[in-house]
Amino acid sequence: DVKVTQSSRYLVKRTGEKVFLECVQDMDHENMFWYRQDPGLGLRLIYFSYDVKMKEKGDIPEGYSVSREKKERFSLILESASTNQTSMYLCASRSRVYEQYFGPGTRLTVT
Amino acid sequence: KNEVEQSPQNLTAQEGEFITINCSYSVGISALHWLQQHPGGGIVSLFMLSSGKKKHGRLIATINIQEKHSSLHITASHPRDSAVYICAVPLYGGATNKLIFGTGTLLAVQP
């Protein structure tokens, strides 16, 4: 079974803190994605990576950065967390036949 | 205009009922995804299909590429089917093929 894991299910941070969300997949997938999910807006793509050290901006990259130093790990970084970044964050990886596998999600609250 | 539209947005059914959720899209695709998200949970991929019909247990997904329409059917619905169902299509271009998501259908199956 493909497994995509995320470092935390729930996270509470203060405004201005630096936040790291970690995602690990165990199927040697090249492509990995970070989404945020908000009520009424659905899933929106923040960043994606198609190889180690390669990254591209998604639809809403402002306020976020990413890191992909190893193939299995894709990190999302909030340099200075703000309350409007309170959301559910979902990581996904994708096989060569385009099936996406999602992690369990991290519910981040910024106070 | 959304490139992927789902209907209905909310659906309440009685246990045992036959349920249909619809997805229409305006972009050209080669495959469509149906995803399931239980309350507070992560996202699970149910189907990826590019033509015809796929069946998994009580779930059936159909797609008509010419009409740009897909349906997800649930036979003999059960309260454990209560979840958000999301359809997604890949948007081709760039180094990878990102998914465009519908806003989801919230299904509640009452006993």
Side-chain angles (χ1 to χ4, degrees), chain B residues 16-78:
Chain B
E17 281 186 19
F18 181 84
I19 288 163
T20 296
I21 299 169
N22 296 299
C23 177
S24 296
Y25 52 92
S26 58
V27 294
I29 68 164
S30 64
L32 178 143
H33 301 253
W34 279 105
L35 311 166
Q36 179 193 57
Q37 185 176 30
H38 280 104
I43 293 177
V44 173
S45 178
L46 296 174
F47 295 103
M48 187 178 70
L49 68 166
S50 55
S51 65
K53 181 164 87 172
K54 282 192 175 180
K55 185 174 188 292
H56 186 251
R58 295 180 295 104
L59 300 177
I60 303 165
T62 63
I63 190 168
N64 185 318
I65 296 288
Q66 287 73 30
E67 294 186 4
K68 297 189 175 181
H69 181 269
S70 176
S71 294
L72 177 68
H73 305 286
I74 305 175
T75 61
S77 60
H78 190 275

Coordinates of all heavy atoms in Angstrom, one line a residue, chain B residues 16-78:
Chain B
G16 N -30.0 2.9 2.5 CA -30.6 1.9 1.5 C -30.9 2.6 0.2 O -31.0 1.9 -0.8
E17 N -30.9 3.9 0.1 CA -31.2 4.6 -1.1 C -30.1 4.5 -2.1 O -28.9 4.4 -1.7 CB -31.5 6.1 -0.8 CG -32.9 6.4 -0.3 CD -33.2 7.9 -0.2 OE1 -32.5 8.7 -0.8 OE2 -34.1 8.2 0.5
F18 N -30.4 4.7 -3.4 CA -29.5 4.8 -4.5 C -29.1 6.2 -4.7 O -30.0 7.1 -4.7 CB -30.1 4.2 -5.8 CG -29.2 4.2 -7.0 CD1 -28.3 3.2 -7.2 CD2 -29.2 5.3 -7.9 CE1 -27.4 3.2 -8.3 CE2 -28.4 5.3 -9.0 CZ -27.5 4.2 -9.2
I19 N -27.8 6.5 -4.7 CA -27.3 7.9 -4.7 C -26.5 8.2 -6.0 O -25.8 7.3 -6.4 CB -26.4 8.2 -3.5 CG1 -27.3 8.2 -2.2 CG2 -25.6 9.4 -3.6 CD1 -26.6 8.0 -0.9
T20 N -26.7 9.3 -6.5 CA -25.9 9.8 -7.7 C -25.4 11.2 -7.5 O -26.1 12.1 -7.1 CB -26.8 9.8 -9.0 OG1 -27.3 8.5 -9.3 CG2 -26.0 10.3 -10.2
I21 N -24.1 11.3 -7.7 CA -23.4 12.6 -7.6 C -22.8 12.8 -9.0 O -22.2 11.9 -9.6 CB -22.3 12.6 -6.6 CG1 -22.9 12.3 -5.2 CG2 -21.5 13.9 -6.6 CD1 -21.8 12.0 -4.1
N22 N -23.0 14.1 -9.5 CA -22.6 14.4 -10.9 C -21.4 15.3 -10.9 O -21.2 16.2 -10.0 CB -23.8 15.0 -11.6 CG -24.9 14.0 -11.8 OD1 -24.8 13.0 -12.4 ND2 -26.1 14.4 -11.2
C23 N -20.6 15.2 -12.0 CA -19.5 16.1 -12.2 C -19.4 16.4 -13.6 O -19.4 15.5 -14.5 CB -18.2 15.3 -11.7 SG -16.7 16.2 -12.0
S24 N -19.3 17.7 -13.9 CA -19.1 18.2 -15.3 C -17.9 19.0 -15.3 O -17.6 19.8 -14.4 CB -20.3 19.1 -15.7 OG -21.5 18.3 -15.7
Y25 N -17.2 18.9 -16.4 CA -15.9 19.7 -16.6 C -15.8 20.3 -17.9 O -16.4 19.9 -18.9 CB -14.7 18.7 -16.3 CG -14.7 17.5 -17.1 CD1 -14.1 17.4 -18.3 CD2 -15.4 16.3 -16.6 CE1 -14.1 16.2 -19.0 CE2 -15.5 15.2 -17.3 CZ -14.8 15.1 -18.6 OH -14.8 14.0 -19.3
S26 N -15.0 21.4 -18.0 CA -14.9 22.1 -19.3 C -13.6 22.0 -20.0 O -13.4 22.5 -21.0 CB -15.3 23.6 -19.0 OG -14.4 24.1 -18.1
V27 N -12.6 21.3 -19.3 CA -11.3 21.2 -19.9 C -11.2 19.8 -20.5 O -11.9 18.9 -20.1 CB -10.2 21.4 -18.8 CG1 -10.2 22.8 -18.3 CG2 -10.3 20.4 -17.7
G28 N -10.2 19.7 -21.5 CA -10.0 18.4 -22.1 C -9.2 17.5 -21.1 O -8.3 18.0 -20.5
I29 N -9.6 16.3 -21.0 CA -8.9 15.4 -20.0 C -8.7 14.1 -20.6 O -9.3 13.7 -21.6 CB -9.7 15.3 -18.7 CG1 -11.0 14.5 -19.0 CG2 -10.0 16.6 -18.1 CD1 -11.6 13.9 -17.7
S30 N -7.9 13.3 -20.0 CA -7.8 11.9 -20.3 C -8.2 11.0 -19.2 O -8.4 9.8 -19.4 CB -6.3 11.5 -20.7 OG -5.5 11.7 -19.6
A31 N -8.4 11.6 -18.0 CA -8.8 10.7 -16.9 C -9.5 11.7 -15.8 O -9.1 12.8 -15.8 CB -7.7 10.0 -16.2
L32 N -10.3 11.1 -15.1 CA -11.0 11.9 -14.0 C -10.9 11.1 -12.7 O -11.0 9.8 -12.7 CB -12.5 12.1 -14.4 CG -13.4 12.8 -13.4 CD1 -14.4 13.7 -14.2 CD2 -14.1 11.9 -12.5
H33 N -10.8 11.8 -11.6 CA -10.6 11.2 -10.3 C -11.9 11.4 -9.5 O -12.4 12.5 -9.5 CB -9.4 11.8 -9.5 CG -8.1 11.6 -10.2 ND1 -7.2 10.8 -9.8 CD2 -7.6 12.3 -11.3 CE1 -6.1 10.9 -10.5 NE2 -6.3 11.8 -11.5
W34 N -12.3 10.4 -8.7 CA -13.3 10.6 -7.7 C -12.6 10.3 -6.3 O -11.9 9.3 -6.2 CB -14.4 9.6 -7.8 CG -15.5 10.1 -8.8 CD1 -15.7 9.6 -10.1 CD2 -16.4 11.1 -8.6 NE1 -16.7 10.3 -10.7 CE2 -17.2 11.2 -9.8 CE3 -16.8 11.9 -7.6 CZ2 -18.2 12.1 -10.0 CZ3 -17.8 12.8 -7.7 CH2 -18.5 12.9 -8.9
L35 N -12.7 11.2 -5.4 CA -12.1 11.2 -4.1 C -13.2 11.2 -3.0 O -14.3 11.7 -3.2 CB -11.2 12.4 -3.9 CG -10.2 12.7 -5.1 CD1 -9.6 14.0 -4.9 CD2 -9.1 11.6 -5.1
Q36 N -12.8 10.7 -1.8 CA -13.7 10.6 -0.7 C -13.0 11.2 0.5 O -11.8 10.9 0.8 CB -14.2 9.2 -0.4 CG -15.1 9.0 0.8 CD -15.2 7.6 1.2 OE1 -14.2 6.9 1.5 NE2 -16.4 7.0 1.2
Q37 N -13.7 12.0 1.3 CA -13.1 12.6 2.5 C -14.2 12.5 3.6 O -15.2 13.1 3.6 CB -12.7 14.0 2.3 CG -12.0 14.6 3.5 CD -11.5 16.0 3.2 OE1 -12.1 16.8 2.5 NE2 -10.4 16.4 3.9
H38 N -13.9 11.6 4.6 CA -14.8 11.5 5.8 C -14.5 12.7 6.7 O -13.4 13.3 6.7 CB -14.5 10.2 6.5 CG -15.2 9.1 5.9 ND1 -14.5 8.1 5.1 CD2 -16.5 8.7 5.8 CE1 -15.4 7.2 4.7 NE2 -16.6 7.6 5.1
P39 N -15.5 13.1 7.5 CA -15.4 14.3 8.4 C -14.1 14.2 9.2 O -13.9 13.2 9.9 CB -16.7 14.2 9.3 CG -17.6 13.4 8.5 CD -16.8 12.4 7.6
G40 N -13.3 15.3 9.1 CA -12.1 15.3 9.9 C -11.0 14.4 9.4 O -9.9 14.4 10.0
G41 N -11.2 13.8 8.3 CA -10.3 12.8 7.8 C -9.5 13.3 6.6 O -9.8 14.3 6.0
G42 N -8.6 12.4 6.2 CA -7.8 12.7 5.0 C -8.6 12.3 3.7 O -9.8 11.9 3.8
I43 N -8.0 12.4 2.6 CA -8.7 12.1 1.3 C -8.2 10.8 0.8 O -7.0 10.5 0.8 CB -8.4 13.2 0.3 CG1 -9.0 14.5 0.8 CG2 -8.9 12.9 -1.1 CD1 -8.7 15.7 -0.1
V44 N -9.2 10.0 0.3 CA -8.9 8.7 -0.3 C -9.3 8.7 -1.7 O -10.4 9.2 -2.0 CB -9.7 7.6 0.5 CG1 -9.5 6.3 -0.2 CG2 -9.2 7.5 1.9
S45 N -8.5 8.2 -2.6 CA -8.8 8.1 -4.0 C -9.7 6.9 -4.2 O -9.4 5.7 -3.8 CB -7.5 7.9 -4.8 OG -7.9 7.8 -6.2
L46 N -10.9 7.1 -4.7 CA -11.9 6.0 -5.0 C -11.7 5.4 -6.4 O -11.6 4.2 -6.5 CB -13.3 6.5 -4.9 CG -13.8 7.0 -3.5 CD1 -15.2 7.6 -3.6 CD2 -13.7 5.9 -2.5
F47 N -11.6 6.3 -7.4 CA -11.5 5.8 -8.7 C -10.7 6.8 -9.5 O -10.7 8.0 -9.3 CB -12.9 5.8 -9.4 CG -13.9 4.8 -8.9 CD1 -14.9 5.2 -8.1 CD2 -13.8 3.5 -9.2 CE1 -15.8 4.3 -7.5 CE2 -14.7 2.6 -8.7 CZ -15.7 3.0 -7.9
M48 N -10.0 6.3 -10.5 CA -9.5 7.1 -11.6 C -9.9 6.4 -12.9 O -9.7 5.2 -13.1 CB -8.0 7.2 -11.6 CG -7.4 8.1 -12.6 SD -5.6 8.3 -12.5 CE -5.1 6.7 -13.1
L49 N -10.7 7.1 -13.7 CA -11.2 6.5 -14.9 C -11.1 7.4 -16.1 O -11.2 8.6 -16.0 CB -12.7 6.0 -14.7 CG -13.8 6.9 -14.6 CD1 -15.1 6.2 -14.7 CD2 -13.8 7.6 -13.2
S50 N -10.9 6.7 -17.3 CA -10.8 7.5 -18.5 C -11.9 7.1 -19.5 O -12.0 7.8 -20.5 CB -9.4 7.3 -19.1 OG -9.2 5.9 -19.3
S51 N -12.6 6.1 -19.3 CA -13.7 5.7 -20.2 C -14.6 4.7 -19.5 O -14.2 4.0 -18.5 CB -13.2 5.1 -21.5 OG -12.5 3.9 -21.2
G52 N -15.8 4.7 -19.9 CA -16.8 3.6 -19.5 C -17.1 3.7 -18.0 O -17.6 4.7 -17.5
K53 N -16.9 2.6 -17.4 CA -17.4 2.4 -16.0 C -16.4 1.6 -15.2 O -15.7 0.7 -15.7 CB -18.8 1.6 -16.1 CG -19.5 1.4 -14.8 CD -20.9 1.0 -15.1 CE -21.1 -0.5 -15.3 NZ -22.5 -0.9 -15.3
K54 N -16.4 2.0 -13.9 CA -15.6 1.2 -12.9 C -16.5 0.9 -11.7 O -17.3 1.8 -11.3 CB -14.3 1.9 -12.5 CG -13.2 1.8 -13.5 CD -11.9 2.3 -12.9 CE -10.8 2.1 -13.9 NZ -9.5 2.6 -13.4
K55 N -16.3 -0.3 -11.1 CA -17.1 -0.6 -9.9 C -16.2 -1.1 -8.8 O -15.2 -1.9 -9.1 CB -18.1 -1.7 -10.4 CG -19.1 -2.2 -9.3 CD -20.1 -3.2 -9.9 CE -21.2 -3.5 -8.9 NZ -20.8 -4.2 -7.8
H56 N -16.5 -0.7 -7.6 CA -15.8 -1.2 -6.4 C -16.7 -1.3 -5.3 O -17.2 -0.3 -4.7 CB -14.6 -0.2 -6.1 CG -13.8 -0.7 -5.0 ND1 -13.8 -0.2 -3.7 CD2 -12.9 -1.7 -5.0 CE1 -12.9 -0.9 -3.0 NE2 -12.3 -1.8 -3.7
G57 N -17.1 -2.5 -5.0 CA -18.1 -2.8 -4.0 C -19.5 -2.1 -4.4 O -20.0 -2.4 -5.5
R58 N -20.0 -1.3 -3.5 CA -21.2 -0.6 -3.8 C -21.1 0.7 -4.6 O -22.0 1.4 -4.8 CB -22.0 -0.3 -2.5 CG -22.4 -1.6 -1.8 CD -23.1 -1.3 -0.4 NE -22.2 -0.6 0.5 CZ -22.2 0.7 0.8 NH1 -23.0 1.5 0.2 NH2 -21.3 1.2 1.7
L59 N -19.9 1.0 -4.9 CA -19.6 2.3 -5.7 C -19.4 2.0 -7.1 O -18.7 1.1 -7.5 CB -18.3 3.0 -5.1 CG -18.4 3.3 -3.6 CD1 -17.0 3.9 -3.2 CD2 -19.5 4.3 -3.3
I60 N -20.0 2.8 -8.0 CA -19.9 2.7 -9.4 C -19.6 4.1 -10.0 O -20.2 5.1 -9.6 CB -21.2 2.2 -10.1 CG1 -21.6 0.9 -9.5 CG2 -21.0 2.1 -11.6 CD1 -23.0 0.4 -9.8
A61 N -18.6 4.2 -10.8 CA -18.3 5.5 -11.5 C -18.4 5.3 -13.0 O -17.9 4.3 -13.5 CB -16.9 6.0 -11.1
T62 N -19.0 6.3 -13.6 CA -19.1 6.3 -15.1 C -18.6 7.6 -15.6 O -18.6 8.6 -14.9 CB -20.6 6.1 -15.5 OG1 -21.3 7.2 -15.0 CG2 -21.2 4.8 -14.9
I63 N -18.1 7.5 -16.8 CA -17.7 8.8 -17.5 C -18.1 8.8 -18.9 O -18.0 7.7 -19.6 CB -16.1 8.9 -17.3 CG1 -15.7 10.3 -17.8 CG2 -15.4 7.8 -18.0 CD1 -14.3 10.7 -17.4
N64 N -18.4 9.9 -19.4 CA -18.7 10.1 -20.9 C -17.8 11.3 -21.3 O -18.0 12.4 -21.0 CB -20.2 10.5 -21.1 CG -20.6 10.6 -22.5 OD1 -19.8 11.2 -23.3 ND2 -21.7 10.1 -22.9
I65 N -16.7 10.9 -22.0 CA -15.7 11.8 -22.4 C -16.3 12.9 -23.4 O -16.0 14.1 -23.3 CB -14.5 11.1 -23.0 CG1 -13.8 10.2 -21.9 CG2 -13.5 12.1 -23.6 CD1 -13.0 11.0 -20.9
Q66 N -17.1 12.4 -24.3 CA -17.7 13.3 -25.3 C -18.5 14.4 -24.6 O -18.5 15.6 -25.0 CB -18.5 12.6 -26.3 CG -17.7 11.7 -27.3 CD -17.1 10.5 -26.7 OE1 -17.7 9.9 -25.8 NE2 -16.0 10.1 -27.2
E67 N -19.3 14.0 -23.7 CA -20.2 15.0 -23.0 C -19.5 15.6 -21.8 O -20.1 16.5 -21.2 CB -21.5 14.2 -22.5 CG -22.3 13.7 -23.6 CD -23.7 13.2 -23.2 OE1 -23.9 13.3 -22.0 OE2 -24.4 12.7 -24.0
K68 N -18.3 15.3 -21.5 CA -17.5 15.8 -20.4 C -18.3 15.8 -19.1 O -18.5 16.8 -18.4 CB -17.1 17.3 -20.7 CG -16.2 17.4 -21.9 CD -15.6 18.8 -22.1 CE -14.6 18.7 -23.2 NZ -13.9 20.0 -23.5
H69 N -18.7 14.6 -18.8 CA -19.6 14.3 -17.6 C -19.2 13.0 -17.0 O -19.0 12.0 -17.7 CB -21.0 14.4 -18.0 CG -22.0 14.2 -16.9 ND1 -22.4 13.0 -16.5 CD2 -22.5 15.1 -16.0 CE1 -23.2 13.1 -15.5 NE2 -23.3 14.4 -15.2
S70 N -19.2 13.0 -15.6 CA -19.0 11.8 -14.9 C -20.0 11.7 -13.8 O -20.5 12.7 -13.3 CB -17.6 11.7 -14.3 OG -17.4 10.6 -13.5
S71 N -20.4 10.5 -13.4 CA -21.3 10.3 -12.3 C -20.7 9.2 -11.3 O -20.0 8.3 -11.7 CB -22.7 9.8 -12.7 OG -23.3 10.7 -13.5
L72 N -20.9 9.5 -10.0 CA -20.6 8.5 -9.0 C -21.9 8.0 -8.4 O -22.7 8.8 -8.0 CB -19.7 9.1 -7.9 CG -19.3 8.3 -6.7 CD1 -18.4 7.2 -7.2 CD2 -18.7 9.1 -5.6
H73 N -22.1 6.7 -8.4 CA -23.3 6.1 -7.9 C -22.9 5.3 -6.6 O -21.9 4.6 -6.6 CB -24.0 5.2 -8.9 CG -24.2 5.8 -10.2 ND1 -25.3 6.7 -10.4 CD2 -23.6 5.7 -11.4 CE1 -25.3 7.1 -11.6 NE2 -24.3 6.5 -12.3
I74 N -23.8 5.3 -5.6 CA -23.7 4.5 -4.5 C -25.0 3.7 -4.3 O -26.1 4.2 -4.2 CB -23.4 5.3 -3.2 CG1 -22.3 6.2 -3.3 CG2 -23.2 4.4 -2.0 CD1 -22.0 7.2 -2.2
T75 N -24.8 2.4 -4.4 CA -26.0 1.5 -4.2 C -26.1 1.1 -2.8 O -25.1 1.0 -2.1 CB -25.9 0.3 -5.1 OG1 -24.7 -0.5 -4.7 CG2 -25.7 0.6 -6.6
A76 N -27.4 0.9 -2.3 CA -27.7 0.5 -1.0 C -26.9 1.3 0.0 O -26.1 0.8 0.8 CB -27.4 -1.0 -0.8
S77 N -27.1 2.6 0.0 CA -26.3 3.5 0.8 C -26.4 3.2 2.3 O -27.4 2.7 2.8 CB -26.7 5.0 0.6 OG -28.1 5.1 0.9
H78 N -25.3 3.5 3.0 CA -25.2 3.2 4.4 C -24.6 4.5 5.1 O -23.9 5.3 4.5 CB -24.2 2.1 4.6 CG -24.1 1.5 5.9 ND1 -23.3 2.0 6.9 CD2 -24.8 0.4 6.5 CE1 -23.5 1.3 8.0 NE2 -24.4 0.4 7.8

